Amino acid sequence: MQHLGYMAAAYAVIWAAILIYFLGLGRREREIWMELQKLRESIRERDAEADSGDRQ
């Protein structure tokens, strides 16, 4: 029981590291979804241009 404070501090550090890790994963996931949305819009624009070019 004499080292209970050290154990509590170690758990706090570990949980803080896990929290920071998951926050970073969430940020990267948002960036990936935004990139995917941009790619989808780019493909739609390209397809729309190709369709309008075929009609002329």
Side-chain angles (χ1 to χ4, degrees), residues 3 5-7 12 14 16 18 23 26 32 36-38 47 50-51 53-54:
H3 300 292
Y6 291 117
M7 189 171 73
I14 289 169
I18 291 171
L23 289 173
I32 289 170
L36 182 59
Q37 185 63 30
K38 288 178 186 177
D47 288 347
D51 287 344
D54 291 342

Side-chain angles (χ1 to χ4, degrees), residues 19-33:
L19 177 64
I20 291 169
Y21 174 73
F22 279 116
L23 289 173
L25 281 180
R27 181 184 54 81
R28 281 185 258 153
E29 182 183 11
R30 275 192 309 277
E31 290 173 358
I32 289 170
W33 280 108

Side-chain angles (χ1 to χ4, degrees), residues 31-44:
E31 290 173 358
I32 289 170
W33 280 108
M34 289 171 44
E35 177 91 15
L36 182 59
Q37 185 63 30
K38 288 178 186 177
L39 288 170
R40 286 178 176 161
E41 290 172 5
S42 159
I43 290 170
R44 282 189 201 117

